[in-house]
Amino acid sequence: MDEKSASASGDRAKNRTPSPQGEALRALVVEDDAIIREDMVQCLRRAGVMVIPAGDGKEALGLFLEHFPDLVVTDIRMPHMDGLELVRRIRELSDEVCVVLISAFTDNETLLASINLGVNGFMPKPVARQELIDLSQRCSLAGKGERTLLRKVLDNNPDLFLTTDGERILYVNRPFLDFLGIQSISGMDAMALVASRISPAEGYEGDNWIAALASDDSAADHLMALAPPVGGEGERAFLVRVSRLPVEDTLFSIISFIDVTSIQEERDFYLDLALKDPLTGLGNRKRLMDELEKEIWRAERYAKDLSLIMFDIDDFKRVNDTWGHQEGDHVLREMARIVREDMRRVDLVTRYGGEEFCCLLPETDLRSACCLAEKLRRIVATHDYGKPGRLTASFGVAQHFPGESSDDLIARADQALYAAKRSGKDRVEPAPDPSDLEELSAAGSMPPPLLPVADADEDDAADLDPSRRGN
């Protein structure tokens, strides 16, 4: 068990409270001799104790994590994992559970090791039945309520908890049962049940996502979205923490799901504010730059087209000077609204600054982007903006080329925009290829005026339809 897991489990153990009166004691009896084990099991059951039998230390540790017993009675010499190693691992989880060693021999080395591990008592073999019963009663009166305390602590904790060995879910707490919409996992294939009722939003798809999560070292402090069963609330965000307890070739895990939905929603709210232009409701320049970097990565990774439109309202200063800044703000909001209405869901429209806007168009080549820009130019020019009346805008369009940075792509679109301004405004200009600019620069020549896109006729309707761009 790693240091962090042991510390977390130890903290929980220190805050345990006694079992309530009247609740049956649970005892884990660990003995590799089947006859001796059965004799102890029957003796304790007749005394009203709920007994969990185990044939060796490895099996016992798994049962401990599943049942959280109040009392552990274990032999010392056993295959796979001896009694002292079992006690050591149990003590890493809790100082409160009552542990008793049984053995046909006792040497000083074993005695010293047992004392260091905090063993509560010894019983010689053959085990006297009445002594075993008296021991269980003393344990109950002493309030060693490991099972009760663990379950009550976990059941009253709003977080979701489960324990698993990677193949089975051994235990889930009450909030997790409520989240699943069931009363108990008893008699069920809990691993399959959880996988069928809850779907992680991303990262751990498939029917065995709990096992994948338990074995993934990177899963600690991992943010995960879970969709509850049908009929439940919407998708919720959880901070997932995994504590692991390796036992030979088996990895036991305690997985907690801490509901951070409200924190995530608040974070998303402020993040949205940071990336949104407050006047138009469009994304701002930071949002454009963030998304542009992602789309460039996608375009180069999957060999997809990507284009950018930049447009600027012509003579916008005259609107502010003539009608005032409130009318200017109205124009900007209207411009944002009419342009956004004609875009695909995957497209991004942002306010770049002042009266300048950008449209980021994934999976769109230069010709399709220019056709869309021409359509937007017509929409802008025919719209009534109120007191200012009719207005126009100039458009520059650039397609991303492999290896081109976001700044270079924006610079080419911006250059095309101002070429449209210089050529008379109210027009669309495509940007030259980066290779053309490099050749002209090397030759010491200024770029020639860019030719406008010809007016689109009715035959171009398919190209102007945003739902068909990039197909």
Side-chain angles (χ1 to χ4, degrees):
M1 186 178 202
D2 58 54
E3 198 172 291
K4 180 179 178 182
S5 301
S7 174
S9 299
D11 289 343
R12 288 195 297 272
K14 290 175 183 177
N15 295 315
R16 306 200 186 286
T17 56
S19 302
Q21 270 189 324
E23 184 163 339
L25 187 81
R26 283 200 176 189
L28 176 61
V29 174
V30 193
E31 169 62 63
D32 62 318
D33 188 306
I35 296 176
I36 297 175
R37 180 174 68 248
E38 183 62 19
D39 185 66
M40 288 193 293
V41 167
Q42 293 303 323
C43 175
L44 289 172
R45 282 177 177 167
R46 283 193 294 269
V49 178
M50 299 179 67
V51 185
I52 307 107
D56 58 61
K58 180 181 177 182
E59 179 188 6
L61 187 59
L63 291 170
F64 181 87
L65 289 170
E66 182 175 356
H67 297 285
F68 304 121
D70 303 296
L71 168 66
V72 177
V73 180
T74 179
D75 191 10
I76 294 179
R77 289 188 172 180
M78 296 180 294
H80 305 302
M81 180 190 294
D82 64 29
L84 291 177
E85 177 63 16
L86 171 62
V87 174
R88 185 183 71 79
R89 291 180 180 269
I90 287 175
R91 283 296 181 239
E92 287 178 343
L93 292 169
S94 170
D95 293 328
E96 292 298 316
V97 63
C98 185
V99 178
V100 175
L101 290 177
I102 55 176
S103 180
F105 68 95
T106 303
D107 56 60
N108 290 336
E109 184 178 347
T110 301
L111 182 62
L112 181 61
S114 302
I115 293 173
N116 289 336
L117 289 171
V119 169
N120 299 92
F122 294 90
M123 292 184 64
K125 286 186 176 180
V127 176
R129 294 178 181 175
Q130 188 57 49
E131 186 177 351
L132 183 61
I133 293 173
D134 291 343
L135 173 68
S136 68
Q137 291 175 346
R138 289 197 302 271
C139 178
S140 181
L141 290 173
K144 301 299 184 180
E146 177 71 11
R147 174 187 60 84
T148 300
L149 179 90
L150 269 175
R151 289 178 183 266
K152 283 196 172 292
V153 167
L154 296 179
D155 286 347
N156 286 281
N157 192 311
D159 302 330
L160 313 184
F161 284 90
L162 66 81
T163 60
T164 177
D165 61 2
E167 297 180 359
R168 302 169 298 150
I169 291 179
L170 307 174
Y171 165 79
V172 297
N173 68 339
R174 173 52 54 187
F176 212 141
L177 291 174
D178 293 341
F179 188 76
L180 291 171
I182 60 175
Q183 291 299 313
S184 171
I185 62 169
S186 179
M188 301 180 180
D189 181 352
M191 188 75 82
L193 177 70
V194 170
S196 65
R197 293 206 171 208
I198 302 178
S199 301
E202 59 180 74
Y204 290 93
E205 292 81 2
D207 294 337
N208 209 24
W209 65 270
I210 289 288
L213 179 63
S215 60
D216 185 359
D217 289 338
S218 66
D221 294 336
H222 178 75
L223 190 63
M224 176 182 288
L226 298 182
V230 177
E233 297 180 7
E235 186 179 281
R236 303 191 67 79
F238 289 89
L239 183 67
V240 180
R241 289 177 175 168
V242 182
S243 300
R244 297 178 179 83
L245 180 61
V247 181
E248 296 184 1
D249 58 345
T250 302
L251 184 69
F252 294 96
S253 300
I254 302 173
I255 307 177
S256 64
F257 299 81
I258 304 169
D259 194 337
V260 293
T261 305
S262 60
I263 298 174
Q264 184 70 16
E265 288 175 347
E266 185 175 7
R267 173 188 174 276
D268 292 344
F269 172 76
Y270 286 110
L271 182 61
D272 184 59
L273 285 181
L275 298 176
K276 182 181 288 186
D277 173 52
L279 177 63
T280 63
L282 299 177
N284 58 17
R285 184 184 297 199
K286 178 171 174 34
R287 173 78 187 281
L288 172 69
M289 299 307 296
D290 289 349
E291 295 301 320
L292 183 54
E293 291 290 344
K294 296 176 187 176
E295 291 300 335
I296 287 177
W297 181 89
R298 282 188 67 251
E300 296 192 345
R301 174 70 174 81
Y302 300 106
K304 299 291 186 180
D305 292 324
L306 175 65
S307 294
L308 180 69
I309 297 174
M310 295 189 74
F311 66 96
D312 184 280
I313 303 174
D314 296 328
D315 304 314
F316 184 69
K317 184 176 182 300
R318 187 174 59 192
V319 173
N320 283 331
D321 291 346
T322 304
W323 302 102
H325 287 278
Q326 287 187 335
E327 283 302 317
D329 290 347
H330 169 72
V331 168
L332 293 172
R333 285 192 293 266
E334 279 295 284
M335 187 73 66
R337 182 183 65 80
I338 62 175
V339 169
R340 185 165 46 189
E341 285 177 351
D342 213 70
M343 308 298 286
R344 301 172 301 178
R345 289 184 62 183
V346 296
D347 298 331
L348 175 67
V349 184
T350 64
R351 184 183 177 195
Y352 193 67
E355 66 271 24
E356 195 168 8
F357 298 82
C358 286
C359 303
L360 182 60
L361 313 174
E363 299 189 26
T364 304
D365 61 17
L366 182 63
R367 181 176 182 277
S368 296
C370 286
C371 287
L372 173 64
E374 176 61 25
K375 181 181 181 182
L376 295 177
R377 184 195 67 78
R378 291 179 176 182
I379 291 172
V380 169
T382 57
H383 185 73
D384 184 356
Y385 296 91
K387 291 181 180 179
R390 300 275 194 260
L391 297 170
T392 62
S394 300
F395 293 75
V397 186
Q399 180 177 348
H400 175 262
F401 282 80
E404 185 177 29
S405 69
S406 56
D407 288 339
D408 289 343
L409 176 61
I410 290 174
R412 287 197 302 114
D414 199 39
Q415 182 189 35
L417 165 61
Y418 282 96
K421 292 280 191 182
R422 290 193 301 269
S423 299
K425 305 176 183 177
D426 189 22
R427 56 197 291 121
V428 175
E429 293 282 359
D433 293 352
S435 57
D436 295 340
L437 291 176
E438 290 175 4
E439 291 176 5
L440 290 169
S441 177
S445 304
M446 293 293 291
L450 299 174
L451 297 176
V453 175
D455 287 350
D457 54 30
E458 295 301 322
D459 294 334
D460 292 320
D463 295 315
L464 298 178
D465 183 355
S467 66
R468 299 181 59 180
R469 282 184 283 117
N471 294 336

